[in-house]
Structure formats: C-alpha cells, structure tokens
Amino acid sequence: MNVDAFVDEVLTELTTMAAERTRTTRSGSKPALAGATLRKAIMAVWCVCFCGMQWRAIGQLSGIPFGTLYTLFARWTRLGLWRRLLDRLRRTWRLACGDTAEPSTVVIDSRTCPSAPSCFARGVDGGKKIRGVKVHIAVEKYGIPLAIDAAPANVHDTKGIVPVLREIAGRGFQGPAIGDLRYRGQRLAKAGEALGITIQPIARGRDGVFIPTEIAWVVERSFGWLSRYRRLNTIVERTKEHLVAFIEIAFISILSRRLKRLVTQTAPA
C-alpha cells in the first residue's frame, strides 16, 4: 500500500481549501498540526480505515492524542474534504483514461454489512440473514462512486437507493442507472423519472451463476475493493456521515495509488 500517495493528495486538497479560506483546523490555544505531524495525522486516519484500528490505539502508536485525530477526521468530514477530493480524483482518472470527466451511465447496487450494537442503525436483511447496515452506492464504469448512502439492512433496495439518485441528480447527472432485478417496480421508476434518471433493471445471474451483463459487474468489483478495508467489514460508526467518509477514504486511497503509478509509468526515463 502506497500511503504516501494518499497523504499527498489530502495535503493538496487541504491547501486548496485553505486558499478558499476554509478553516480546516479548529482555532484554539494550541498550534494547528503542520509539517511531519500533519502527515502523520493523515496517515493515522488512513490506518483507521484500512487496518480497522481503534482511535485510541492509533493515537498511542502515532504519538498524537486520539481526541485530536478524531476531531480532525470529524471536522474534515463535516467540511466535505473527502467528497470533494474523491470527485477531483475521479474526474482526473477518467480524463487520464481518455474518457469524459462526467459519466453518462451509472450502476446502482447495495451491500449488507454486519454492524455493532453501538452503530448508528441496525436492521435484519432477511435474504442474507445479516443484522447490520446496508450501503447503497452508484458508480460509473470504472467502479468509482458518484454517491453513497447507508440505511438499516431491513430497508428495501428500491427505497434505500432513492437518496443516492437524488444526490447524483443534484450533481447534474441525467441518464440511465443500471441495477439488478431488485430495482424493479413502478414506484422507483417514477421516482427516477422525476429526477431525470431512467432505472434499467437487468438480470445479472441465472441458476445461481453470476452473469457479467454490460457494465453492471463493475459495482461488484467496487464492493470487492471495499472488503479489503477492515473498518468497512463490521460497521461501528455512530453516524452515517462517518461511515460514508470512510468509504470515500477507501476509494481516495485506491485512486491516489493508481494516479501515482500512472505518473511513474509515463515519466521519461
């Protein structure tokens, strides 16, 4: 794992936000983190996501009080740092692949994760027999999310995906959204039509065998990537916003590593 690529991208975005006069650190008697200490704090946030470490444990290992680390993470989440950084990296990656900056088609799906009793929400997914949280997501053809939401696992996909559709519609997306047969129904179709989005449910399996139909399979790969980040395997977050933030951090880590590798490969010898 190339953590330095992740840290560099976060520092770049923090610099941009500072230029926009966004206060990324809380004012107080203590000086704000800077230099090597700030890099260590960003790396600690990544370790919480990838390694599934507790805030107190990473505070002991990094030498930075865990309250400071958590406060930084919560403040950056509230300011939208992870969302805007992920959007920038997604556009950069699409342009590097010779594509347009914004997609014309998205793929929608959900993933049920077990959650701790202290989690912000819990429900039972009757089909998968899991008590926890269901993550709803809309990705483009490279598997990078445009919008993420979470709900108790007992919320049906046709209801849980509506906030995701609203978010991508608010960002200007107008086009088809491909999903599996769970997204059938007139109610969801009408909700999508009101947002300018056409819901296209298609079969992705037959007789228990997965069929990689069109680009619908890319969302399964995205969930496979997320399973490598231990913080996202059993949900312990007390707020939905923090869960979404850790999902965004995971994809930022993936994209930053890809872009750094791409620059290295294209650099002149």
Side-chain angles (χ1 to χ4, degrees):
M1 285 292 178
N2 195 334
V3 189
D4 289 333
F6 172 82
V7 175
D8 291 340
E9 292 292 353
V10 174
L11 287 174
T12 300
E13 198 65 32
L14 287 174
T15 302
T16 303
M17 294 175 71
E20 296 172 359
R21 306 202 173 191
T22 302
R23 295 174 60 183
T24 56
T25 56
R26 188 175 62 180
S27 58
S29 57
K30 296 181 179 179
L33 299 184
T37 307
L38 181 57
R39 290 188 66 91
K40 188 184 295 185
I42 298 171
M43 189 178 300
V45 173
W46 180 89
C47 287
V48 171
C49 182
F50 182 72
C51 305
M53 301 182 69
Q54 297 178 346
W55 288 106
R56 290 179 183 271
I58 194 62
Q60 288 284 341
L61 293 175
S62 65
I64 303 174
F66 78 92
T68 301
L69 294 175
Y70 180 80
T71 301
L72 274 178
F73 166 75
R75 185 177 185 85
W76 291 342
T77 300
R78 188 169 61 253
L79 293 175
L81 167 67
W82 315 115
R83 179 73 262 176
R84 58 182 284 166
L85 177 53
L86 178 59
D87 285 341
R88 176 173 66 82
L89 295 179
R90 174 177 54 81
R91 296 188 189 101
T92 303
W93 177 254
R94 288 180 61 86
L95 293 173
C97 293
D99 217 322
T100 58
E102 297 296 338
S104 58
T105 304
V106 298
V107 184
I108 55 177
D109 203 356
S110 66
R111 176 197 184 202
T112 304
C113 304
S115 65
S118 59
C119 182
F120 67 91
R122 282 187 111 190
V124 177
D125 186 334
K128 298 180 180 178
K129 304 295 188 296
I130 296 176
R131 183 187 297 273
V133 173
K134 189 178 288 187
V135 176
H136 302 272
I137 194 170
V139 304
E140 37 88 274
K141 73 178 186 180
Y142 297 105
I144 310 303
L146 280 75
I148 306 164
D149 197 63
N154 59 323
V155 175
H156 195 270
D157 289 355
T158 55
K159 293 182 180 180
I161 199 63
V162 173
V164 173
L165 298 178
R166 288 200 190 110
E167 184 174 346
I168 61 176
R171 296 170 180 268
F173 175 80
Q174 301 285 313
I178 302 174
D180 56 28
L181 296 182
R182 289 176 295 177
Y183 295 101
R184 290 177 295 184
Q186 289 296 323
R187 181 176 296 180
L188 179 60
K190 290 181 180 178
E193 185 179 352
L195 297 171
I197 299 173
T198 305
I199 308 299
Q200 294 184 358
I202 61 175
R204 295 195 309 193
R206 185 179 298 114
D207 298 328
V209 178
F210 175 72
I211 302 174
T213 309
E214 299 182 18
I215 64 169
W217 63 273
V218 297
V219 70
E220 302 295 344
R221 183 181 60 180
S222 300
F223 286 136
W225 291 337
L226 290 181
S227 66
R228 302 174 184 174
Y229 291 77
R230 294 188 177 183
R231 188 82 178 191
L232 304 175
N233 288 331
T234 299
I235 309 303
V236 298
E237 309 311 324
R238 295 181 181 270
T239 67
K240 178 173 69 174
E241 291 74 20
H242 287 182
L243 170 59
V244 172
F246 277 121
I247 296 174
E248 291 168 347
I249 287 172
F251 280 105
I252 290 170
S253 176
I254 293 168
L255 280 177
S256 59
R257 188 172 65 251
R258 284 186 184 180
L259 289 168
K260 184 171 184 177
R261 187 166 58 240
L262 185 64
V263 170
T264 303
Q265 290 174 351
T266 57

